[in-house]
Amino acid sequence: MADTDTVRRRKPESRTPATNEPGHDTASATEDSDVEEIIRPGFPPHSESRNGGKKKKAPKRRIEDEDESNPWLLDILRVISFLFLASCGLSYLISNGESFFWGMSHPPNYLQLEWWKSQLRGPIYLTPAELAAFDGTDESKPIYLAINGTIYDVSANRRTYGPGGSYHVFAGVDASRAYVTGCFAEDRTPDMRGVEEMFLPLDDPAVDNKYWTPEELKQLKRKEMEEALKKVNDALKHWANFFGKSKKYRFVGYVKRDKDWLKKEPVPKLCEAAGRGRTPRSPPEEEKKKH
């Protein structure tokens, strides 16, 4: 008698099945051909017992999982982080500490599309009539102004140079004279003739004839004229440099005029506001005290 704890399993016997007789059941024949296989409790099934009772070693999934992971995702994150920090640092340097995120109020020219277009296109030439169309009344157009014959785009400060702005009188025109005289409404012209008068002293015959001979007075007036012309030139140069070196405004081109255009225009009179600053010529003693 077999042990009571023994489990009996039927195992197919390798023998030739019965002949095909009427009523013969193939499944029954298979079951009849099985033999008992003794399996003791605690032992693995026959598929494992053939290997000496040892379980097959599971594959090292941990190693495979590590190999099949996506380390390139981490690399991408590192690259993105580096580029972000580099961008912030570069923005800080270029904007002179204004922004880390390229939010500059007035980005440098090489970061502006219009600047690159102007570099490829070259300077434009506009007649005074054509320049007048860029005075800001048409919002689809930029705002241009000119000084000493050079045109600048001042659209970055539309509130000031556009309609209703405090310096709208300069938009769409070359008003070089007004920059020096301060007469914005009257002197919207590039004609600088006579502006030097604002820096010349007034003649006073009683004082002049008392302190200078006619020849001395002639030489003195020549010197005064040279100094006055220099002041006009320096004042105009100051404003020309203001626009030319500005980070907000962009060079556009030049005003196109006839070479002899000044000959066709009458000499402007010195505006009243500019003439108020003139005083009589001082005696030599007082002039020395001033210096």
Side-chain angles (χ1 to χ4, degrees), residues 8-215:
R8 296 180 179 276
R9 177 179 292 181
R10 304 186 68 83
K11 184 177 182 181
E13 185 181 21
S14 57
R15 62 180 180 180
T16 304
T19 58
N20 294 332
E21 295 179 356
H24 182 271
D25 190 350
T26 305
S28 298
T30 303
E31 291 177 0
D32 293 340
S33 63
D34 289 342
V35 297
E36 292 182 350
E37 179 184 14
I38 299 175
I39 302 177
R40 297 182 183 280
F43 281 80
H46 68 278
S47 59
E48 295 178 354
S49 62
R50 293 174 183 173
N51 293 327
K54 297 181 180 179
K55 292 184 179 181
K56 292 183 179 180
K57 293 184 178 179
K60 297 180 179 180
R61 298 301 303 169
R62 183 177 298 176
I63 298 177
E64 291 182 1
D65 289 344
E66 291 179 356
D67 293 339
E68 294 175 2
S69 63
N70 296 324
W72 54 271
L73 290 176
L74 184 58
D75 292 338
I76 290 178
L77 290 175
R78 288 172 179 169
V79 171
I80 292 175
S81 300
F82 171 78
L83 292 177
F84 175 75
L85 294 175
S87 176
C88 292
L90 189 60
S91 173
Y92 185 83
L93 291 175
I94 292 178
S95 65
N96 293 322
E98 182 179 346
S99 173
F100 285 101
F101 307 105
W102 301 98
M104 292 172 281
S105 302
H106 309 293
N109 288 333
Y110 56 83
L111 293 180
Q112 301 182 41
L113 179 60
E114 289 299 324
W115 183 83
W116 284 105
K117 288 181 179 179
S118 66
Q119 297 303 303
L120 297 174
R121 179 187 62 227
I124 63 175
Y125 293 84
L126 301 176
T127 64
E130 292 170 336
L131 178 61
F134 296 90
D135 65 348
T137 55
D138 186 348
E139 294 186 357
S140 65
K141 295 181 179 180
I143 300 178
Y144 292 165
L145 63 75
I147 181 169
N148 202 26
T150 304
I151 303 173
Y152 295 96
D153 185 341
V154 294
S155 304
N157 202 357
R158 187 174 286 271
R159 289 183 59 185
T160 299
Y161 293 99
S166 55
Y167 292 138
H168 178 58
V169 293
F170 294 112
V173 69
D174 185 340
S176 298
R177 187 183 184 92
Y179 286 98
V180 181
T181 64
C183 300
F184 298 162
E186 303 94 320
D187 289 343
R188 297 179 75 240
T189 174
D191 191 345
M192 303 299 294
R193 293 177 297 176
V195 177
E196 67 278 0
E197 292 180 13
M198 67 182 293
F199 299 110
L200 292 174
L202 295 170
D203 292 331
D204 185 351
V207 175
D208 295 344
N209 295 332
K210 179 180 179 180
Y211 292 101
W212 295 280
T213 65
E215 183 62 27

Side-chain angles (χ1 to χ4, degrees), residues 240-254:
N241 288 338
F242 171 79
F243 290 101
K245 297 180 179 180
S246 173
K247 295 181 179 179
K248 295 167 57 177
Y249 310 132
R250 181 174 55 84
F251 165 77
V252 174
Y254 303 98

